[in-house]
Amino acid sequence: MIPLSVTWDDIGGLVDAHERFLTGARVDADVRGAVLDSWKRCRSVGLEPDRLLVPYAPGLALDDTFLRAAEPVLQRLTGSLSEVGMTVALCDSQGRMVQRLGGDRLLRGRLDDVRFAPGFDASEQVVGTNGVGTALAERGPVYVVGREHFADCLQPFACAGTPVRNPLSGHIEAVLDLTCLRDDGDPLMLRLVREAARDIEARLLEQATQRERALLAAYRRAGRAADGWPPQPAATRPGRYGEGAGARLGRIDLAVLREKAEELIAAPHRTLDEVMLSGGRSALLLRRQVRGAAGETGVVVEARILGGAGAGPVGLAGPGTVDRPAIVAGVVPVPGFATETAVAVPISKITPPPKKRAAATGLPGSPTSPPLPTLPLPSPQPSAPEPVTDDRLLLLGDPGVGRLAVLARRRLELLHEAGIRIGTTLDVARTAEELAEVAVPRFADFASVDLPDPVLHGEEPGPLGEDTPLRRVAVGSVREEPDLYGVGDQVGYVPSTPQSRSLETGRAVLEPVLAEAGGWLAQDPARLARVLTAGIHSLITVPLRARGTTLGVVSFYRSGHPAPFEEDDLSLAQELAGRAAICIDNARRYTREHNTALALQRSLLPKGRPEQSAVEVAYRYLPAQAGVGGDWFDVIPLSGARVALVVGDVVGHGLHAAATMGRLRTAVHNFCSLDLPPDELLTHLDDLVGRLDRGEGWAVDSSQADSGIVGATCLYAVYDPVSRRCALTRAGHPLPAIVGPDGTVEFVDLPSGQPLGLGGMPFETVELELAEGSQLVLYTDGLIEDRHQDIDAGLERLRTVLARADRSPEETCEAVLDALLPARPSDDVALLVARTRALGPERVAQWELPSDPAVVSRSRAAVTEQLAAWGLDELSFTVELVASELVTNAIRHATGPVQLRLLRDRALICEVSDGSGTSPRLRRARTEDEGGRGLFLVAQLTERWGTRYTPDGKVIWTELPLPCGLTTP
């Protein structure tokens, strides 16, 4: 255990920030982002700042090739720092110190106190934030000073570290670190250590190119004595691949050969491959090993073209580029070409200038090929080529580098496929499924996507802590894996799991050996032990972050892949997750907007069925796939037991269409309260829409004009169950359908009228008589018309579906939607089906009265007699008073014949009609007035009253509730 050091004070309140961080407080504003991320990682693995258990590994050593490249650089760096009290530490790729060089006596003593010496394990999960372990975790250079160290024992120091990579493979070979006392620290240390790392990488590259030149010479020597393809004079060899022959192999053929050669050189157990080319030709590829004079080993691939004109040996390109500019495929260095480019040329054509070679072969370097990345390092000068008479082309490298080239290409292909396949819909769950489908099996054998429920509902997820439950939304697997959580399961990750750590730090977490990952096993030891038994061996977990918000986590597992996940797989996993996170966030935002608009629209649509006896109704509303629209429907009870049926459609989709629909629906209700005829009602509605479009309505904001609603359509129908008459009129709306009691279907020949808002043209009304039990079918155009069918075809399909007489309105709605609509309609659909009823003679009493005051008493007697017949004697006094008052007013103030009518429906309706167009007005009579109280009494004694106009005059109507226990017969 490392002893504690004395307490040090740091400028900027880092001591206080560190203490607050350990208590769980937020310190984002006080600590650098990279340092805070490291602190979170340290806390997630359970490190305690005041005590560390550091394992030692004495006798560590690095590869001789690396040490030969690093030794001169380290000596030069140590010499330059001899006067400044700074030590140089060289650590292996796991963060364990191999060498410690330089430093004055004071610094060395302080470092010895904390045992920062060869064998010291400086990895972040062991000693916390520091220049070695954090550089490995960040995979890049870092500078840590004083209290930024997580551990108390390291706070007296400042350090700068950076990884050193193999320029051919891209793997981290070592970590270089500069350490000094905190007061001597300077951010310039970071520049020094980065320059030293680049110098080591440059020397590694030089050694690699020397090796490749030796392998090329070995291949040439072997080629002269090889069996099967003996060298022949170029002028006499049949089908030779000479000058201009490369043109006979197009760019596609050359690309195919390059790809197959890379795969062959990376496959240790394969020797031959055959590739089909254009023009009926094929290529036979041969892989064989070569050894240089100094013992260097490598692999070459040769090719021979079979079939077609000009067949013969052909050249191949090298492994190509990999997934970062600083990685170089192991290929033949050719004079005039940078060593980091992969070039294939005929050996007999090595000497021509690069441009001529590239143009002749169509390989990288030609004007038609994309430029390959180059290293920011000077290319060593190649030696002069040996004279060669064999014009075969070849691919030279080693299996490790060839494998990297193949993996790089496959990663690019995977990312390209991800860009195409992820985000094809604006559905959160489907987008998560697309991510799992792309990742399996090409990147992982099992992939899971976990999201919090708010994301699925389109809401902001909020901070994802250890108490936030996630929902498994998508799973991809090469085989059934019953021991892992399934789709729909709720998952709560414990703090030690890689998923929880990645959510807290916002970084990907790699577990290359799951059997040794105690934090992962702690989630559910029994279940996950069975997972290990099933063969899953490694894991990468990545947070799904988009626009600064963490939306969930994706986990990639491997079991069938021969190799576990490596550090180089982290970048690909993060790229996949990053692309998917943006698509998931887009889908989440769309879901939120869609739900908001849908909630608004549903709040504006009818809720339940109003009480009325004229029709039996059923209705359906289906929002469009693209979003909510402006379709609506209504069933509005009117006076005299009548009912109004309305269906309308506002053009467009979204909040504006939904809000406009609500305004028009409210306007229709208000106009219905005036008992206007259908054509007059649409005229008033048309005038309202016109005023809104002229800017007399509303706008989204003060700087944005109303986007307009011209194009709204509406169909309005009024059905009277007493006369069984139905009056209909429409404004640009589809024709209504009437299904007779015998199953015959007829589309009403109704004048179309123009859409609402255009103005200037009157609307026409058609009135027809409907048999009892007929069905009136009203709908919007989304039911019968879309981009796949025109309106005539839709009407015929609708006619066919409706031709049934034995369906209820509910069954008719279901049958119509099943037959005419796809699963996800492209437009809103509103459907209203009303089956007519009749108010028979036994429920209607009607009297024609002359204009004589003497008939008032006879009308009271007739009303009393009729109420007794209906069993409503207790209403007699009230109805007598109401009827006599209305009849008296009609005789006294109106003209023409007077009619008294009683209707027994859900309420008792008393109506008096006359030939006058003057409407009575309710007023409060003064004390000395002799009249004016009759209508006031009527209003007090009835539940509702009002006036409606007819072509011949008006009707004054009242409604009285039936006594309790009595219902409509």
Side-chain angles (χ1 to χ4, degrees), residues 481-557:
E481 184 51 72
D483 292 316
L484 289 170
Y485 298 104
V487 173
D489 291 348
Q490 195 172 65
V491 185
Y493 289 109
V494 300
S496 63
T497 58
Q499 289 85 354
S500 182
R501 285 151 48 198
S502 68
L503 287 172
E504 182 177 10
T505 63
R507 299 290 188 89
V509 174
L510 167 65
E511 290 289 357
V513 184
L514 281 178
E516 301 176 0
W520 176 75
L521 288 167
Q523 175 72 22
D524 189 339
R527 175 198 293 261
L528 297 183
R530 294 193 298 270
V531 170
L532 291 176
T533 304
I536 288 181
H537 51 68
S538 58
L539 161 69
I540 289 179
T541 179
V542 190
L544 293 167
R545 289 183 55 82
R547 302 179 178 96
T549 301
T550 302
L551 304 172
V553 64
V554 56
S555 302
F556 303 106
Y557 294 87

Side-chain angles (χ1 to χ4, degrees), residues 422-689:
I422 298 177
T424 59
T425 68
L426 287 172
D427 181 87
V428 173
R430 179 57 193 151
T431 304
E433 291 170 359
E434 290 169 343
L435 170 59
E437 291 169 0
V438 168
V440 176
R442 296 177 60 178
F443 179 65
D445 298 303
F446 183 91
S448 62
V449 182
D450 303 321
L451 305 175
D453 287 338
V455 171
L456 295 173
H457 301 150
E459 304 167 7
E460 293 288 344
L464 298 185
E466 58 186 76
D467 298 329
T468 306
L470 301 178
R471 181 82 54 190
R472 181 139 297 177
V473 179
V475 167
S477 179
V478 294
R479 66 175 188 274
E480 185 69 21
E481 184 51 72
D483 292 316
L484 289 170
Y485 298 104
V487 173
D489 291 348
Q490 195 172 65
V491 185
Y493 289 109
V494 300
S496 63
T497 58
Q499 289 85 354
S500 182
R501 285 151 48 198
S502 68
L503 287 172
E504 182 177 10
T505 63
R507 299 290 188 89
V509 174
L510 167 65
E511 290 289 357
V513 184
L514 281 178
E516 301 176 0
W520 176 75
L521 288 167
Q523 175 72 22
D524 189 339
R527 175 198 293 261
L528 297 183
R530 294 193 298 270
V531 170
L532 291 176
T533 304
I536 288 181
H537 51 68
S538 58
L539 161 69
I540 289 179
T541 179
V542 190
L544 293 167
R545 289 183 55 82
R547 302 179 178 96
T549 301
T550 302
L551 304 172
V553 64
V554 56
S555 302
F556 303 106
Y557 294 87
R558 276 188 181 172
S559 60
H561 278 70
F565 284 119
E566 303 173 349
E567 289 188 353
D568 286 342
D569 293 313
L570 283 173
S571 59
L572 178 57
Q574 291 179 119
E575 182 68 20
L576 280 175
R579 296 189 183 196
I582 291 294
C583 296
I584 290 174
D585 193 50
N586 290 340
R588 178 191 66 83
R589 290 166 179 256
Y590 169 79
T591 301
R592 180 184 61 192
E593 298 298 330
H594 179 77
N595 290 344
T596 300
L598 190 60
L600 170 63
Q601 186 183 46
R602 292 198 180 279
S603 70
L604 298 174
L605 287 172
K607 297 177 176 62
R609 298 175 175 86
E611 293 186 358
Q612 51 82 34
S613 301
V615 291
E616 177 188 355
V617 296
Y619 52 80
R620 296 290 188 275
Y621 170 76
L622 278 77
Q625 177 183 2
V628 298
D631 292 14
W632 90 92
F633 60 90
D634 247 320
V635 179
I636 306 173
L638 301 177
S639 64
R642 299 169 307 135
V643 66
L645 306 173
V646 190
V647 171
D649 183 2
V650 176
V651 295
H653 295 90
L655 289 173
H656 179 266
T660 302
M661 175 271 291
R663 292 167 65 87
L664 297 186
R665 180 171 176 256
T666 301
V668 171
H669 273 265
N670 291 334
F671 293 145
C672 284
S673 67
L674 301 176
D675 259 323
L676 297 176
D679 55 343
E680 291 187 26
L681 185 144
L682 286 189
T683 299
H684 284 285
L685 195 63
D686 176 69
D687 180 64
L688 172 64
V689 172

